[in-house]
């Protein structure tokens, strides 16, 4: 047994109860062929998942074998009497409707039940189409039918004799080898009123119809009618298990499925349990020209959104079930033969697919016998060709193209699959996504994903070599280029959508790395990604193996770009020194194209700025700005920041006014104006900057601007600041921008300045958090908040201590303006000889900062706190 399958057993029990309840209702009419049908249950999944085993175990349990799957819960109350009929549709070389119908009839005969209406029609059909073969001979030639029951021919002959006697048709003897059946039917036709004694309204018409395959397809209606006539004490529910249904439901030729579709429709008092690789599509009204009975109205329970869905994807095995199977698969002296280390690797590689586990166990035995010792664990770090062979067996040529193409992608959409396959229509991709080896998650940008094992095995040497339609390395590269181009087009169509940008970058970088594709659109997308302050992970995984089993050559440019973006993305969660060192290492490899070297150069300069290394930061920013690349506006803004840190505010303002939207002019202005004590103007600029970033899809930048807005507002308007802090917290939690997170901590300190007596301790906690991340500027901002608090509470001792701590965050001229502000708060001049170039003069700046302290004291006085 591959798995407990408790969920599947519960679904089967529920279906039996519901069908039985429906057919037992006084309003049920077996001859009603118009009402919706609720008598089919579907289990589908990839090849090797254990569907046939499940079907066989259901047959045994419904047949009264309580030992089979004994752990399955015993239904309470008990189920009605069920008669299981198991049919493996893959065993026959050709589909035979007669065999399917007879299997159901034989199951009834095995319980001693007669079916007069059906048997009479069967006799008519048999005489016309199989005159040279008796029913006995037919059943003996099909051993599985003869094992069900051997009493059917005798029941049929008895019926014909009884009918001849009851309808006074002299000289007729019930039998299948003569002209008696035709004569009997003719006699019944002449005595139509007597034929109606069977009370089956459609029996006369069926008997009179030409006894061909079309007429045979209606005989299940007669069998259903016979079942409905059983006395209450003999009442039962046949459960017909149709296994390997994909061998009937072939895409492009659904004639056999059409016959099954009619059979199930005509037998509403029989539960059909279908197991196969694919979801049953009878609820799709678009198939009305192919199948007789289709649409959600006719099969309401086949839709996933129905209250009681009857289609169940057979799941993969849990890690525990995988280990259990491997431990019990091969036993020697009561102990598992497969060592635990091997079991762990096999279980992990299987991804929960039972067939993989079984193949690995068989390989273990083979290697053990050939080598005479336990094989090395490395021998099981592999795929199995048979897994994909099963998957590919019933795909059309176009569908195979699609599956191969999307095996290059972690996830895909229908449009992306069609483009990667080089097809002009979506139909093949639409069929592929319905296959059970394709997983679906509608919450994802590209919702479809080929099962990991199938993806891995498709490109193995064995599979490609033995395939009827092998692909060369050039074929794979062409598919990769088509997918790459399609992904680039999708990014350009949604350039403002950060989610699309990240997904396209990861997929595009993976393809460019694995197939040495020109970077093309990736260069622009990489700059767009780096310019935001968010922290999405750029993970392109390990390169796959080539079709001949050797490692694929890796494109160094794509690899270096992926590494660069990964490091840049981590800058908000790692220490700035580590980020700078890793980016320098990437530059030293020389793998990054010249036009992209500005990315690590710019972010090294940013790290140096945050670390307080002014000269190194200035040098890097100037190099990028002079280079005139896409990050040149950002580098000019970086120069603006450095000038602001030095207190050269008027020079910084000149640069800020030239930055424009691309250079994030409004944030630069907002950062400049708050330092002048012009809080209203700072908040206006930062609000504009936030809205511009949001409109451009730059969620990280928007969060950063909002945090700055909260920080600036906190000095002047506590009520407004609290609103801005809450809004900033929501944005930061979504993107996790480390700089913004610490700035938000500082904003909360400023909001509570004068109110919280524990604020000095909180200041040092925030300063420590900033220092741990290498954010020297924020450590200074936190200590400035301490100075603001000390000034508001008017404590000279606390003020002196706060200023002393602030000096620890000042390096010469850099951040010296914070010391000046610390004295302006108390309407004093700084004793330092370093003086900033205040935009509106030092007197105006001092008035603004001391005025903020006066306003906060007045607010405290109004609340009775001082």
């Amino acid at each position: 047994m591959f798995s407990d399958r408790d969920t599947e057993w519960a679904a089967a029990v529920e279906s039996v109860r519901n069908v039985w309840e429906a057919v037992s209702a006084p309003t049920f009419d077996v001859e009603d062929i118009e009402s919706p049908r609720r008598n089919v249950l579907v289990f589908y999944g990839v090849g090797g998942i254990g569907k046939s085993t499940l079907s066989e175990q259901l047959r045994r349990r419904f047949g009264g074998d309580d030992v089979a799957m004994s752990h399955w819960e015993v239904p309470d109350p008990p189920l009605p009497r069920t008669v299981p009929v198991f049919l493996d549709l893959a065993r026959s070389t050709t589909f035979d409707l007669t065999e399917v119908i007879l299997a159901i009839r034989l199951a009834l005969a095995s319980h001693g039940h007669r079916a007069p209406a059906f048997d009479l029609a069967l006799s008519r059909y048999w005489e016309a189409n199989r005159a040279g073969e008796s029913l006995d001979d037919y059943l003996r030639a099909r051993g599985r039918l003869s094992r069900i029951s051997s009493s059917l021919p005798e029941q049929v002959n008895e019926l014909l004799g009884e009918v001849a006697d009851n309808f006074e048709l002299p000289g007729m003897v019930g039998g299948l080898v003569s002209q008696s059946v035709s004569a009997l039917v003719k006699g019944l036709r002449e005595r139509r009123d007597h034929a109606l004694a069977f009370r089956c309204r459609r029996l006369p018409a069926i008997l009179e119809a030409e006894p061909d395959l079309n007429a045979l397809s209606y005989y299940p209606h007669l069998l259903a009618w016979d079942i409905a006539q059983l006395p209450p004490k003999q009442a039962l529910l046949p459960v017909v298990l149709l296994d390997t249904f994909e061998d009937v439901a072939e895409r492009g030729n659904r004639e056999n499925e059409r016959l099954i579709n009619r059979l199930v429709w005509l037998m509403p008092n029989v539960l059909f349990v279908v197991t196969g690789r694919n979801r049953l599509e009878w609820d799709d009204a678009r198939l009305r020209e192919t199948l007789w009975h289709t649409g959600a109205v006719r099969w309401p329970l086949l839709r996933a959104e129905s209250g009681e869905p009857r289609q169940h994807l057979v799941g993969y095995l849990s890690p525990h079930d995988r280990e259990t199977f491997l431990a019990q698969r091969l036993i020697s002296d009561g102990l598992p033969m497969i060592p635990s280390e091997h079991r762990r690797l096999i279980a992990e590689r299987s991804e929960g697919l039972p067939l993989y586990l079984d193949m690995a166990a068989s390989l273990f035995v083979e290697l053990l016998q050939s080598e005479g010792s336990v094989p090395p664990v490395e021998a099981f770090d592999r795929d199995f060709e048979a897994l994909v062979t099963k998957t590919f067996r019933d795909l059309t040529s176009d569908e195979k193209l699609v599956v191969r193409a999307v095996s290059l992608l972690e996830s895909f959409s229908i449009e992306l699959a069609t483009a990667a396959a080089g097809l002009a229509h979506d139909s093949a991709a639409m069929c592929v996504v319905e296959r059970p080896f394709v997983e679906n998650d509608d919450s994802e940008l590209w919702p479809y994903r080929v099962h990991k094992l199938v993806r891995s095995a498709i490109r193995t040497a064995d599979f490609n070599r033995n395939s009827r339609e092998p692909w060369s390395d050039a074929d794979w590269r062409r598919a990769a280029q088509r997918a790459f181009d399609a992904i680039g087009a999708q990014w350009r169509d949604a350039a403002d959508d950060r989610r699309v940008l990240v997904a396209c970058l990861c997929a595009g970088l993976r393809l460019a790395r694995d197939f040495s594709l020109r970077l093309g659109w990736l260069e622009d997308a990489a700059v767009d990604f780096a310019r935001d302050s968010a922290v999405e992970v750029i993970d392109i995984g390990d390169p796959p193996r080539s079709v001949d089993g050797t490692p694929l050559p890796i494109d160094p440019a794509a690899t270096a770009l992926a590494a660069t973006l990964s490091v840049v993305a981590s800058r908000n969660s790692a220490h700035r020194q580590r980020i700078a060192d890793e980016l320098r290492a990437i530059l030293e490899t020389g793998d990054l194209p010249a036009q992209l070297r500005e990315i690590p150069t710019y972010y090294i300069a940013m790290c140096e700025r945050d670390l307080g290394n002014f000269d190194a930061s200035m040098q890097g920013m100037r190099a990028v700005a002079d280079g005139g690349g896409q990050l040149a506006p950002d580098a000019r803004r970086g120069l603006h920041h450095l000038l602001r840190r030095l207190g050269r505010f008027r020079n910084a303002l000149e640069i800020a006014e030239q930055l424009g939207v691309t250079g994030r002019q409004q944030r630069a202005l907002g950062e400049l104006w708050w330092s002048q004590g012009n809080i209203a103007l700072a908040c206006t600029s930062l609000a504009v900057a936030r809205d511009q970033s949001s409109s451009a899809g730059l969620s990280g930048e928007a969060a950063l601007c909002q945090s700055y807005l909260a920080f600036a507002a906190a000095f002047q308007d506590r009520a407004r600041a609290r609103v801005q802090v809450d809004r900033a917290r929501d944005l930061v939690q979504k993107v996790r921008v480390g700089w913004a997170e610490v700035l938000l901590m500082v904003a909360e300190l400023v909001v509570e300045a004068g109110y919280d007596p524990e604020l000095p301790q909180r200041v040092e906690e925030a300063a420590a958090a900033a220092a741990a991340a290498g954010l020297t500027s924020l450590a200074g901002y936190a200590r400035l908040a301490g100075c603001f608090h000390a000034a508001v509470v008017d404590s000279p001792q606390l003020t002196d201590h706060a200023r002393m701590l602030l000096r620890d965050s000042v390096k010469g001229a850099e951040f010296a303006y914070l010391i000046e502000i610390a004295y302006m708060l108390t309407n004093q001049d700084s004793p330092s000889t370093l003086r900033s170039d205040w935009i509106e003069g030092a007197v105006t700046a001092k008035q603004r900062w001391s005025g903020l302290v006066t306003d906060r004291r007045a607010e405290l006085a109004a609340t009775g706190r001082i």
Side-chain angles (χ1 to χ4, degrees):
M1 279 307 299
F2 282 143
S3 175
D4 293 344
R5 301 303 185 204
D6 293 318
T7 302
E8 287 81 356
W9 169 241
V13 168
E14 182 181 18
S15 294
V16 167
R17 292 196 192 282
N18 291 344
V19 173
W20 182 254
E21 181 181 352
V23 301
S24 301
T27 56
F28 175 74
D29 180 5
V30 74
E31 295 188 283
D32 175 6
I33 60 172
E34 299 296 332
S35 297
R37 295 302 195 243
R38 295 174 169 82
N39 61 320
V40 62
L41 171 65
V42 183
F43 295 114
Y44 67 104
V46 297
I49 199 66
K51 303 180 298 295
S52 295
T53 303
L54 170 64
S55 188
E56 171 61 23
Q57 294 299 332
L58 289 173
R59 180 196 66 79
R60 292 176 60 185
R61 279 301 294 265
F62 285 133
D65 184 354
D66 293 333
V67 176
M69 301 298 279
S70 57
H71 62 274
W72 277 352
E73 184 177 346
V74 177
D76 184 25
L79 296 178
R81 189 158 67 102
T82 54
V83 176
V85 181
F86 179 81
L87 288 168
D88 184 352
L89 300 176
R91 289 190 179 182
S92 301
T93 55
T94 58
F95 177 78
D96 187 349
L97 180 63
T98 306
E99 188 173 343
V100 174
I101 297 175
L102 278 178
I104 304 173
R105 173 64 185 95
L106 287 167
L108 295 175
S110 68
H111 286 73
H113 299 308
R114 301 178 63 180
F118 172 80
D119 289 350
L120 189 59
L122 175 66
S123 301
R124 164 92 163 123
Y125 175 82
W126 209 269
E127 182 183 73
N129 294 279
R130 298 180 181 272
E133 181 183 23
S134 70
L135 185 56
D136 268 327
D137 292 339
Y138 178 88
L139 296 177
R140 277 195 296 269
R142 290 157 178 78
R144 57 176 175 168
L145 291 182
S146 64
R147 288 193 295 271
I148 298 176
S149 173
S150 60
S151 61
L152 179 58
E154 181 181 347
Q155 288 186 8
V156 172
N157 287 330
E158 289 177 358
L159 169 69
L160 295 178
E162 290 175 8
V163 171
D165 292 340
N166 291 340
F167 288 99
E168 299 177 356
L169 301 173
M172 297 180 184
V173 179
L176 296 179
V177 191
S178 69
Q179 298 298 317
S180 59
V181 177
S182 297
L184 179 59
V185 171
K186 180 180 178 181
L188 290 174
R189 186 183 302 126
E190 294 170 353
R191 296 166 171 78
R192 179 176 292 271
D193 56 330
H194 292 289
L196 291 177
F198 281 98
R199 303 190 316 281
C200 180
R201 295 197 301 269
R202 294 185 177 87
L203 177 60
I206 291 176
L207 289 176
E208 292 176 5
E210 182 67 25
D212 54 14
L213 181 62
N214 185 59
L216 178 66
S217 69
Y218 285 98
Y219 289 8
H221 173 74
L222 302 178
L223 188 54
W225 188 87
D226 286 323
I227 294 171
Q229 310 314 307
L230 292 175
K233 290 185 178 181
Q234 298 179 6
L236 52 80
L237 177 68
V239 178
V240 179
L241 301 119
L242 301 175
D243 190 34
T244 327
F245 196 75
E246 65 271 12
D247 278 29
V248 171
E250 295 181 0
R251 302 293 192 270
N253 179 11
R254 309 183 88 139
E255 287 302 315
N256 294 330
E257 184 181 6
R258 190 179 184 187
L259 296 173
I260 294 290
N261 173 257
R262 175 174 284 177
L263 180 146
V264 175
W265 182 267
L266 294 175
M267 305 192 75
N269 53 347
V270 174
L271 174 62
F272 290 85
V273 180
V274 174
T275 47
R277 291 188 191 158
N278 308 306
R279 182 185 177 279
L280 202 61
E281 298 179 311
W282 294 354
D283 57 320
D284 190 344
R286 292 174 296 180
L287 299 178
R288 65 171 62 90
E289 296 182 2
T290 305
L291 305 177
W292 277 300
H293 308 284
T294 62
V297 173
R298 293 193 169 191
W299 304 96
L301 299 185
L302 292 185
R303 286 291 174 94
E305 58 268 21
S306 65
E308 181 205 337
R310 292 286 179 86
Q311 303 227 48
H312 299 268
L313 180 64
V314 179
Y316 302 105
L317 303 190
S318 67
H320 176 268
D321 281 345
R322 302 173 206 173
E323 287 275 359
T324 300
F325 172 81
L326 291 170
Q328 298 178 0
R329 177 66 170 78
L330 301 171
I331 300 292
S332 178
D333 296 329
L335 298 174
M337 290 180 62
I338 304 177
S340 59
E341 183 181 7
H342 293 59
R343 295 201 305 269
R344 281 194 296 271
L345 176 62
I346 295 170
E348 180 180 355
R349 292 281 280 126
S350 75
E351 295 288 327
L353 192 64
L355 182 60
Y356 184 99
L357 299 175
D358 201 43
M359 288 180 173
S362 298
L363 177 64
F364 183 89
V365 173
E366 179 183 335
L367 295 177
L368 184 65
Q369 292 175 339
S370 62
E371 300 175 5
S373 60
V374 173
V377 68
E378 295 80 13
F380 299 90
D381 188 11
R382 53 165 294 173
D383 298 312
F384 291 100
E385 176 193 353
L387 289 171
V388 189
T389 301
K390 278 178 167 284
T391 298
F392 264 53
R393 185 174 65 182
D394 59 342
L395 297 177
T396 66
S397 293
D398 281 355
E399 289 169 359
K400 290 175 183 177
L401 281 175
V402 170
V403 174
R404 272 196 166 108
V406 298
S407 71
L408 299 171
L409 305 170
E410 289 284 345
S411 59
F412 64 95
S413 63
I414 289 176
E415 296 78 13
L416 193 54
T418 298
L423 299 174
H425 51 82
D426 290 337
S427 58
M430 292 172 67
C431 290
V432 165
V433 299
E434 291 292 331
R435 298 285 180 165
F437 59 81
V438 175
E439 301 162 0
N440 182 21
D441 184 352
D442 290 332
S443 66
E444 295 294 326
L445 174 66
W446 297 323
Y448 303 108
R449 184 185 301 266
V450 175
H451 187 273
K452 186 177 180 180
L453 265 182
V454 177
R455 281 189 63 223
S456 174
I458 280 175
R459 297 193 60 204
T460 60
D462 286 344
F463 172 75
N464 195 70
R465 182 168 50 248
N466 297 328
S467 171
R468 293 182 180 179
E469 304 169 64
W471 271 21
S472 66
D473 285 342
D475 289 326
W476 285 110
R477 194 175 190 281
R478 280 189 287 268
Q481 186 68 60
R482 289 193 298 266
F484 182 84
D485 293 341
I487 292 168
Q490 183 163 346
W491 165 68
R492 293 192 187 281
D493 289 342
D496 293 340
D497 190 325
R498 183 77 179 182
R499 186 184 182 205
V500 174
L501 169 64
V502 173
C504 290
L505 267 176
C506 290
L509 283 167
R510 190 179 301 111
L511 290 169
R513 177 200 64 186
D514 296 346
F515 294 92
S516 298
L517 306 179
R518 295 182 61 183
L519 296 181
W521 61 267
L522 280 174
E523 296 180 5
D524 293 338
V527 173
D528 274 7
F529 174 84
R531 296 180 93 151
D532 199 3
S533 302
V535 293
E536 295 95 339
V537 176
I538 299 296
D539 181 10
I540 61 174
D542 298 325
R545 299 171 183 174
S546 67
V547 295
D548 63 359
T550 60
L552 283 167
I554 298 175
D555 183 75
T559 304
L561 179 56
T564 298
L565 296 182
S566 180
V567 174
V568 168
S570 67
R571 72 187 185 276
N572 287 305
S573 58
H575 196 282
R576 292 303 192 267
Q577 188 62 59
R578 196 192 87 186
I579 300 299
D581 292 343
E582 291 180 358
L583 290 175
R584 285 194 185 93
I586 293 172
L587 283 173
E588 290 170 1
T589 65
D591 293 335
L592 205 61
Q595 63 273 23
L596 291 174
R597 293 173 67 86
E598 67 171 350
I599 297 177
T601 302
Y602 172 72
Y603 284 100
I604 290 172
M606 285 191 65
C607 290
E608 296 290 10
R609 183 194 71 190
D610 291 337
L611 291 168
N613 301 325
F614 174 79
D615 291 337
S617 180
M618 183 72 78
Q619 182 180 358
M621 291 295 181
R622 281 179 176 155
V624 175
D626 293 345
Q630 294 189 69
L631 289 177
D634 301 79
R636 284 191 287 272
R637 190 182 72 251
L639 292 172
H640 155 83
H641 283 311
L642 292 171
L643 291 171
R644 180 170 56 83
R645 286 180 174 222
L646 291 174
R648 292 162 60 180
F649 296 127
R650 294 185 184 183
N651 290 342
L653 179 60
E654 290 177 3
I655 294 179
E657 289 176 339
Q658 300 172 12
L659 291 176
V661 176
T662 305
R664 296 173 187 168
Q665 179 187 67
Q666 292 300 322
R667 173 154 74 89
L669 290 171
E671 292 172 321
L672 190 58
W673 289 124
W674 84 259
S675 63
Q676 308 302 301
N678 194 335
I679 303 302
L681 193 54
C683 290
T684 299
S685 296
L686 291 168
V688 172
R690 175 202 63 208
D691 295 341
Q692 289 176 342
S693 299
S694 296
S695 299
L698 301 175
S699 54
E701 177 65 18
L704 184 55
C705 292
Q706 179 60 35
S707 296
Y708 246 128
L709 174 56
F711 168 70
F715 283 104
Q716 188 172 61
D717 188 339
R718 293 181 72 244
R720 179 187 179 192
R722 286 195 186 94
V723 174
Q724 301 299 349
V725 164
D726 290 341
R727 183 171 181 178
R729 186 178 294 110
D730 290 340
L731 293 179
V732 169
Q733 286 176 348
K734 294 176 182 177
V735 294
R736 292 186 57 244
V737 179
W739 208 96
E741 290 176 358
V742 179
L743 181 60
L744 193 55
M745 292 175 61
V746 177
E748 292 172 329
L749 293 176
V750 179
V751 169
E752 295 302 320
Y755 285 83
D756 183 4
E758 303 297 328
L759 196 107
Q761 179 180 344
R762 292 172 58 192
V763 163
E764 288 310 297
E765 291 172 356
L775 304 175
T776 56
S777 60
L778 289 182
Y781 290 178
R783 284 169 172 154
L784 179 63
C787 293
F788 184 60
H789 170 75
V792 170
V793 299
D794 195 16
S795 168
Q797 182 179 0
L798 195 59
T799 297
D800 289 343
H801 182 69
R803 288 170 179 168
M804 180 191 70
L805 293 174
L806 178 59
R807 289 189 183 93
D808 292 339
S809 300
V810 174
K811 291 185 176 181
E814 192 175 6
F815 289 122
Y817 76 89
L818 294 178
I819 296 292
E820 289 188 76
I821 293 175
Y823 279 90
M824 288 178 176
L825 291 170
T826 56
N827 203 22
Q828 295 174 287
D829 293 328
S830 171
S832 173
T833 58
L834 296 172
R835 289 289 185 271
S836 300
D837 186 15
W838 300 95
I839 294 175
E840 298 169 280
V843 173
T844 300
K846 185 193 298 183
Q847 289 174 347
R848 287 198 179 114
W849 281 112
S850 61
L852 293 172
V853 172
T854 301
D855 291 344
R856 180 65 61 92
R857 287 177 178 170
E859 182 183 315
L860 284 165
T863 60
R865 293 177 179 266
I866 58 174

